[in-house]
Amino acid sequence: MTGSGMATAKQLMLSIVATTISIVLTFGTAAFLEHNKKQEAKREMVMVLLYDLANILEQTEKADSALRAGFEQQVAVAANPKLFEQNPFFLIPLLSAIDFKYTETVERIFSSNIETINTLGNVLFAETVSDFYRIRKTYKEEVCNGFMQEYQQKEGIPQYEHVVDVDICSFITMSGIYLCKMKDDFAQCKQMMDVSDADLEAFHQKRQEMAQTETIDSISYVLKDEMIRNEKRLKEAKNKGKRSEE
């Protein structure tokens, strides 16, 4: 092969290598960016779910504590009926504490989106989250609603015999069992997705800041709209006054 031929072949090889590198870099970068995008979506979904579970767990713990405090009051009243005469409605605060309301927005999105498992990339995590939500529903029905129904069997002013016979003990036992399972599921979910308490707290702070910003923006919009309407009303009033003078 002549010198010019070798030079041409060398240039061709360099061109092929350069093209190959360019293709690899282009598709490699695209794949890298796509992977990062999926990882960010996954992390965001995981944090939203765990944040929701943490709030539910906090509510459940408050209900459980209220049941135990109510039982202590029940024991005191049973031992000293005069306490009942002084306050026959002593269990009312307990009713308020266990009648907690919760939203199912995150749960509905999680349950209805067929891409959830693909995005999360962890079937066991998805199953554990589903189990947590199932227990939450059971807790509300069997513990909270169950206690409310038993307490409210008799209308009017509570009677001593009825109040001291309300089976708070059984509801405490059920509450403890369900709460223990929810805590276990929550701990497993955090471990599976490598999320610490500090991560959740940071996400909580971020959500609060976003909510505050949204509130400020909403108030600003309302005030601006009010200002426009007030200026319009004043202008119309002035025009009306001028016409009346003519």
Side-chain angles (χ1 to χ4, degrees):
M1 182 178 293
T2 63
S4 59
M6 289 181 65
T8 301
K10 185 177 180 180
Q11 290 178 352
L12 179 60
M13 287 297 297
L14 289 174
S15 178
I16 293 173
V17 171
T19 302
T20 303
I21 292 174
S22 176
I23 293 172
V24 170
L25 287 175
T26 300
F27 286 95
T29 301
F32 176 76
L33 293 175
E34 183 65 22
H35 174 73
N36 282 351
K37 184 178 179 181
K38 288 182 179 179
Q39 289 299 109
E40 289 176 1
K42 172 184 175 180
R43 186 69 175 181
E44 183 70 16
M45 181 178 292
V46 167
M47 296 305 296
V48 168
L49 285 168
L50 290 178
Y51 179 72
D52 191 46
L53 300 192
N55 288 333
I56 294 169
L57 193 56
E58 182 180 357
Q59 284 184 311
T60 308
E61 288 175 333
K62 288 181 179 179
D64 183 79
S65 297
L67 281 169
R68 296 175 189 279
F71 175 69
E72 294 301 323
Q73 290 181 302
Q74 185 186 44
V75 170
V77 169
N80 185 3
K82 289 184 178 180
L83 294 176
F84 178 79
E85 295 174 4
Q86 295 172 8
N87 181 18
F89 300 99
F90 71 92
L91 286 181
I92 294 299
L94 170 56
L95 296 178
S96 301
I98 66 171
D99 187 28
F100 61 81
K101 304 294 189 297
Y102 59 81
T103 61
E104 298 180 344
T105 304
V106 177
E107 181 183 1
R108 289 197 187 100
I109 295 173
F110 168 74
S111 303
S112 61
N113 189 350
I114 60 176
E115 292 297 321
T116 297
I117 295 180
N118 290 334
T119 301
L120 292 173
N122 191 319
V123 176
L124 182 57
F125 174 79
E127 290 178 347
T128 307
V129 171
S130 297
D131 185 55
F132 186 101
Y133 283 130
R134 178 187 60 79
I135 297 172
R136 185 265 298 271
K137 181 179 180 182
T138 303
Y139 188 96
K140 178 67 174 176
E141 293 174 351
E142 296 186 5
V143 179
C144 300
N145 296 347
F147 178 81
M148 296 278 288
Q149 290 171 5
E150 179 165 339
Y151 180 81
Q152 296 173 346
Q153 282 178 352
K154 295 183 179 181
E155 297 181 354
I157 298 177
Q159 301 299 313
Y160 171 82
E161 293 77 11
H162 174 61
V163 172
V164 296
D165 287 339
V166 175
D167 192 8
I168 302 180
C169 290
S170 294
F171 290 104
I172 288 176
T173 301
M174 283 192 291
S175 175
I177 292 172
Y178 292 136
L179 181 57
C180 183
K181 185 65 171 70
M182 292 169 77
K183 286 182 177 180
D184 186 54
D185 282 349
F186 183 61
Q188 287 186 42
C189 286
K190 289 195 298 180
Q191 184 177 14
M192 279 188 280
M193 292 310 196
D194 193 26
V195 175
S196 66
D197 292 335
D199 293 332
L200 277 175
E201 179 60 28
F203 186 79
H204 172 68
Q205 294 296 330
K206 177 182 176 182
R207 291 292 293 265
Q208 283 191 321
E209 291 172 2
M210 290 175 61
Q212 185 177 10
T213 301
E214 290 172 358
T215 301
I216 293 174
D217 291 343
S218 177
I219 292 174
S220 299
Y221 176 81
V222 171
L223 291 176
K224 287 179 182 178
D225 183 64
E226 181 184 36
M227 183 182 70
I228 293 172
R229 286 187 284 107
N230 287 342
E231 289 178 344
K232 182 179 179 181
R233 287 178 59 199
L234 180 60
K235 184 177 180 180
E236 291 175 349
K238 288 180 179 180
N239 291 335
K240 184 178 180 180
K242 289 180 180 180
R243 289 195 297 270
S244 64
E245 292 177 354
E246 295 176 352

